[in-house]
């Protein structure tokens, strides 16, 4: 089937920053994203797990955006602004998408 | 003194505290016992709804006395001022960075609603009545401490931290809204309302509190296990000294305002307790460079268990002694 | 009239309705208060189980009168016919596309079990008894409206929408199975069964309903906030006129069948209420091109709050007046 | 005999069993009815806490008689020995591989706490009292069978399976810790403790058990549906014969130890029941090559329903007949 | 270690369509997939979040298939049939897998 | 923006093996990972769904590691040791990451 090049950006970030991030992304013209839950993890600031949390401050989520290549830089800059001082990982992968008319 | 020990023993051997101890032990022993996140949140919604509603219904039954406004103001001032005292004490006892110390200080000005609930249920068990509006005071004390903490940081030169969005989030966080909202529902529907739902919010309350504290024990235990080494002796000393100091400042305020013996005890508890929900959330947004292990371990791993086991009976006994109640 | 106002006031100031209002206000004020998905689902399982069981136990206690079959038939017919009336009204009041109008119409033929539960608890509060099998009638009314809605679309020329898999899903959806199943359990175990579990399904019922309606308020409020601008005045007018029209058609059917005053009120409520669980799910599968914001906002954001606050006391008062009950 | 049938009928027509049947039927009919994972886990936490606490409180009220230690030892031995009998029976009745047979055997030496809870509530319903410490016996019986199963495999030549980490996980698994922990809380706080929380753990218990068994029915039904063809007739025969054999071995042990009629019935139930939580988890780690469909379907799809419906009344009747209780 | 080329197809789709999609995939010879929850998201039809839903109709999930390249087209055609009229995003990425004997 | 090459390893494994896997990964020098829930799936051992489980034994999770290319082999070998006898899928994708100083 006919597919189209695009980029898949995954931003792992504290749940409490999610709204700020997606608002910023929308400001930067991103029109679609999905939020995935993260159950736990480990990084420079140690290990954590959602079951051991009592506070909405401590969980993390993944914000996944499928985006045309030409809009990638705008997205990354917007995201970086939010992620900068906060813990979080940003990755970019090449993907093919069906139905590019949707992006 | 014998009274305090007696009260402490009764408290320590209640199902509520033993459930907390069970959770703590299970987590420290690395059992895989855990309460699902959604269930823990549901339990806390239940507790907030019940405690708020009962407070409101009590106000409807007894009417408002003149001390309401004075107590609200006292709560506000306590919450705003306690962080400064905590900050000073931290600089004496620990070598935390300015940002970390300010973040911790903010937690100790604010309150722990679960500690408040546990204290209420101790008072109830001893048939000591208190002002129903103390839950509203609890709600008022959540936020001011956060502003004081940010002020402590910004005088250290780090610029603006607070935006209106964060302000809104703090003031309208779920716990405050639910507590205040159910307080008003209780106040509006009064005795009729209470009767309609008392077999839901009164009868099973202590049992639900047990399961909730089981989970709190698990969380506190896991926190302690994972952050071993984060706190030195000075920090632990702070985690025990600060609630006692706070409680005595709260005592002073309560006496000035003129609360009932139960109300005095509750204001002491509020002043002594440290937040581990609202304030950590605000700190992750406003002070991301502060280390969450430090403030969470102190508040949840040291001060919360201290208050639950020793603090509450102590504060109740002191308030009884001082007010002769 | 004074009676209606009185009933409306009592209803509006009950903990149940105020909890809904609290949720609504919290969501509109963008508080982060939320009930976890799993907890909300657990609450709804509890409510369905309890209401079904109590209905069945009531049937076991009072025996079946001859009106059972007639009422089930009436429910089936109401559910099948109301979408056509709704569709006509939508074409007068709004400029929705044929597909959107048919989808909305399907929702109004079907029922909202929570509205039914709330009405039952109002009746109970006023000691008005009703036929226990009304929960079975509620179950019967869930599905036929969906077929009518699809028929409305297909006559517009869009071909087959319904397959046997979807049919099975609709008829065996969780709510129907649980409601009917617990109805039979109640009918089989009767008074003994009810006694065995009444401190679970009777005593705390109203309290659980409060928390559930708190969540419904949150959901309705968030829906309203997110779909601002989706509905124009005509659509909102439909969301209020349709339940009233539906209730009167239900009243006619109930009088023909010869129900008790409580039963009349409940059939009015069922006819007046609009689905927001079963029908939306079916519509996503069968009519993916219909806009979910339209039908969810209307059903959950307009009609549900209307029925909960004004509709139920109105229908109860009318049924009392008409039957002289 | 008439007594057994009567007991079986009463049992079969109780809300608890009918709820299980409803779940089973819904799953087999492919309804989408489901209980959220978090809610099911919360229900099981409630049941474990309540049953443990009540056992402890019963011990506090009646004191310990000399049979405690003997019964614990009996439980340990039963759990360790039953897998060997099960293994032999499996080799006669089925052609499972050595690893699969050992894994299944381990399940039947261990216990199902829900079956125990259901049996306790049947005893309660018939006012037959039992030793409060039977919950501790249940806890003791969870683990030894796992070691026997691994030993059965390793003699077949597959090397070491058990490491200290797995051992710790088995002994400190959440169910055991919660059951034993709440048993001690009940024993320590005694009647006062029980009174404080009885409207939470006693009054609504049977109702909660209904919802839990509804979920168990759903799970068992889905398991049966998905693993159609996994079990042949021989395996199904094992799933029914083994609990009966186990119950008689348990009966012998109980008579030697000298338990009360209720205690005899419960030890029979423990011996007859098969694990579907702790043992499957251990088997996934230690025997990943064993087929989970086989042991889960047998334990949860065959033996659990058998015990719930026919087994429990049978064991109770036999224990009554034998002890003359 | 020895790895093998494959494709990773991610289909974001309404939860209510999940069973229909996986049945169709199985019909097209897909032998393995995993379902991941999606907490919320935003797209042409606006923003949504799982916490604000009361209906099983409104959540979304991701269906993830690791599949040999030669079977990709069959999968995409089968998936497209289901996704076509429904909201949903389909992406394809190159991956390496261990233990290709499993596919 | 400046990005850096890395590898994204996704290991789908039984929840009960999660701790053993992440301990092994940490032993092999992996410093960061995230755990994602899996709601259900299908493979050689049949279909399963989290809602039909009563046992902590039966759910699955995804362990996601972003890792520098030069450390990939160490990770895979460590992971393979745990995954070997157990059901589970391991995939590797090329990614770009922001803030490589974190790895
Ligand atoms: N290399 C990594 N791969 C995958 N997830 C990571 C990685 N590093 C960090 N994370 C996730 O991001 C969270 C915060 O990381 P950190 O800021 O390093 O503490 C961790 O708890 C993980 O959930
Ligand atoms: N560009 C995108 N990237 C990631 N997820 C998306 C994207 N577009 C849509 N989605 C997801 O698919 C859902 C439905 O999209 P839509 O059909 O555009 O409303 C959204 O709510 C998101 O969860
Ligand atoms: N090809 C695949 N693509 C995605 N996930 C898979 C695949 N094969 C297996 N899985 C996942 O791994 C689990 C176990 O697979 P298996 O060992 O083949 O039974 C499945 O239930 C899926 O969740
Ligand atoms: Na304080
Ligand atoms: Na209707
Ligand atoms: Na057994």
């Amino acid at each position: 089937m006919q597919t189209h090049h695009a980029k898949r950006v995954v931003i792992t970030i504290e749940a409490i920053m999610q709204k700020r991030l997606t608002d910023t992304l929308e400001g930067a013209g991103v029109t679609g994203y999905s939020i995935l839950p993260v159950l736990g993890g480990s990084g420079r600031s140690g290990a954590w797990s959602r079951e051991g949390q009592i506070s909405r401050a401590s969980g993390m989520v993944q914000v996944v955006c499928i985006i045309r290549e030409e809009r990638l830089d705008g997205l990354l800059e917007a995201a970086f602004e939010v992620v900068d001082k906060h813990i979080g990982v940003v990755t970019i992968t090449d993907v093919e998408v069906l139905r590019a008319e949707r992006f | 003194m014998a009274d305090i020990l007696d009260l402490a023993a009764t408290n320590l051997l209640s199902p509520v505290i033993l459930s907390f101890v069970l959770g703590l032990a299970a987590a420290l022993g690395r059992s895989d016992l855990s309460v699902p996140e959604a269930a823990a949140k549901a339990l806390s919604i239940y507790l907030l709804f019940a405690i708020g509603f009962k407070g409101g219904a009590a106000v409807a039954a007894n009417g408002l006395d003149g001390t309401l406004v004075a107590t609200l103001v006292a709560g506000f001032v306590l919450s705003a001022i306690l962080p400064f005292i905590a900050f000073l004490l931290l600089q004496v006892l620990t070598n935390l960075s300015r940002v970390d110390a300010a973040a911790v200080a903010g937690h100790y000005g604010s309150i722990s609603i679960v500690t408040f609930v546990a204290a209420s249920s101790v008072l109830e068990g001893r048939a000591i009545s208190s002002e129903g509006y103390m839950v509203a005071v609890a709600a008022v004390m959540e936020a001011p401490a956060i502003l004081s903490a940010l002020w402590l940081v910004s005088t250290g030169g780090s610029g603006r931290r607070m935006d209106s969005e964060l302000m809104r989030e703090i003031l309208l966080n779920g716990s405050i809204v639910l507590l205040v909202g159910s307080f008003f529902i209780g106040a509006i529907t009064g005795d009729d309302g209470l009767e309609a739902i008392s077999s839901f919010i009164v009868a099973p309350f202590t049992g639900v509190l047990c399961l909730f504290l089981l989970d709190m024990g698990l969380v506190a235990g896991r926190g302690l296990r994972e952050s071993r080494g984060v706190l030195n002796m000075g920090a632990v000393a702070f985690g025990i000294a600060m609630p006692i100091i706070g409680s005595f400042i709260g005592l002073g305020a309560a006496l000035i305002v003129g609360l009932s013996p139960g109300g005095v005890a509750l204001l002491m508890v509020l002043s002594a307790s440290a937040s581990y929900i609202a304030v950590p959330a605000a700190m992750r947004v406003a002070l991301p460079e502060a280390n969450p292990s430090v403030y969470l371990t102190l508040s949840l791993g040291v001060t919360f268990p201290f208050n639950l086991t020793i603090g509450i009976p102590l504060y109740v006994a002191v308030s009884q002694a001082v007010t002769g109640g």
Side-chain angles (χ1 to χ4, degrees), chain A, chain B:
Chain A
M1 293 190 82
Q2 170 75 33
T3 62
H4 310 262
H5 284 297
K7 294 286 183 178
R8 179 171 185 268
V9 182
V10 177
I11 306 170
T12 307
I13 195 172
E14 289 168 286
I16 201 170
M17 296 301 294
Q18 172 194 316
K19 179 112 182 39
R20 285 178 172 77
L21 175 61
T22 54
D23 285 353
T24 309
L25 294 181
E26 280 166 23
V30 171
T31 56
Y33 55 83
S34 298
I35 315 279
L36 271 60
V38 180
L39 288 183
S42 180
R44 291 170 314 146
S45 41
W48 67 278
S49 103
R50 200 175 272 263
E51 218 132 76
Q53 308 301 320
I54 46 156
S55 145
R56 72 188 166 108
S58 11
M60 301 196 77
V61 293
Q62 284 192 340
V63 177
V64 179
C65 300
I66 314 297
I67 194 173
R68 286 170 191 278
E69 186 143 17
E70 57 264 33
R71 320 194 102 192
L72 179 64
D73 265 341
L75 184 158
L76 290 183
E77 262 148 42
F80 190 72
E81 204 179 285
V82 177
V83 177
D84 187 16
K85 291 207 167 171
H86 288 267
I87 63 180
V89 181
V90 182
T91 64
I92 305 110
T93 327
D94 287 312
V95 290
E96 300 289 310
V97 292
L98 290 188
R99 308 206 276 183
E101 69 282 9
R102 300 192 145 219
F103 293 89
Chain B
M1 194 61 209
D3 212 44
I4 298 189
L5 288 181
D6 179 44
L7 224 161
T10 320
N11 184 48
L12 282 175
L13 296 184
S14 69
V16 169
I17 302 300
L18 290 175
S19 297
F20 178 78
V21 172
L22 173 57
L24 205 64
L28 292 176
R30 296 199 290 133
S31 164
D32 71 344
L33 181 60
S34 72
V35 176
E37 196 194 357
K41 218 180 151 199
L43 291 177
S44 82
I45 288 173
Y46 170 86
L47 294 176
L48 288 167
F49 180 78
I51 197 93
F53 194 102
K54 286 189 276 189
V59 165
N62 307 326
L64 281 176
D65 53 42
T67 55
L68 166 67
V69 174
T71 319
L72 289 176
V73 171
F76 188 96
V77 173
L78 283 167
S79 173
I81 282 180
L82 285 169
F84 292 92
I85 296 166
F87 190 75
L88 288 177
L89 193 60
L90 282 164
Q91 290 192 319
V92 174
L93 291 174
T94 71
N95 52 6
L96 292 177
S97 72
R98 185 177 187 89
V99 167
D100 280 342
V104 170
H107 288 71
Y108 282 81
S110 184
I111 58 119
S112 145
I113 197 71
V114 182
T115 312
F116 178 80
V117 168
S120 307
S121 109
V122 167
L123 290 179
E124 230 166 75
R126 300 181 73 88
I128 305 172
S129 71
S130 60
E131 286 79 3
Y133 57 69
M134 289 306 294
V135 302
V137 178
V140 163
M141 290 180 72
E142 285 231 22
I146 298 172
L147 297 178
S148 299
L150 298 185
W151 192 87
L152 276 167
V153 173
S154 66
T155 55
S158 307
R160 262 181 84 259
R161 303 296 192 143
M162 177 59 81
D163 53 25
S164 67
E165 177 62 15
L166 177 57
M167 198 67 190
R168 200 190 53 71
E169 274 178 23
I170 294 171
L171 293 177
L172 289 186
N173 88 61
S175 317
I176 296 191
V177 168
L178 184 51
L179 195 64
V180 173
S182 53
F183 175 82
F184 277 111
I185 298 179
I188 294 170
T189 62
D191 265 357
D192 288 354
L194 188 60
E195 208 199 294
I197 64 173
S198 76
S199 36
F200 179 62
I201 66 170
V202 177
F205 188 82
T206 312
V208 177
L209 188 56
C210 287
L211 285 195
F212 189 76
L213 283 176
L214 175 74
D215 182 51
M216 293 287 305
L218 288 167
V219 171
R222 257 184 247 129
L224 281 175
R225 195 150 51 80
E226 264 159 32
S227 54
R228 223 171 309 151
V230 167
L231 302 184
N232 57 17
M233 287 308 294
V236 173
F238 169 83
I240 291 171
M242 187 59 211
I244 300 180
I245 297 174
S247 78
F248 277 87
I249 300 178
L251 172 66
L255 293 177
I256 295 173
V257 173
L259 292 174
S260 69
V264 171
L266 287 180
L267 196 61
M268 291 179 74
V269 167
L270 287 173
S271 305
S273 73
S275 168
Y276 43 81
I277 301 186
V279 182
M283 290 302 152
R284 290 313 297 150
V285 175
L287 293 182
E289 63 274 45
N291 183 351
S293 314
V294 172
Y295 50 70
L296 279 175
T297 310
L298 259 179
S299 155
L300 194 59
V302 178
T303 300
F304 179 71
F306 170 77
N307 276 332
L308 204 59
T309 53
I310 302 176
I312 292 176
L314 177 71
Y315 313 142
V316 171
V318 168
S319 96
Q320 297 281 89
V322 170
T323 62

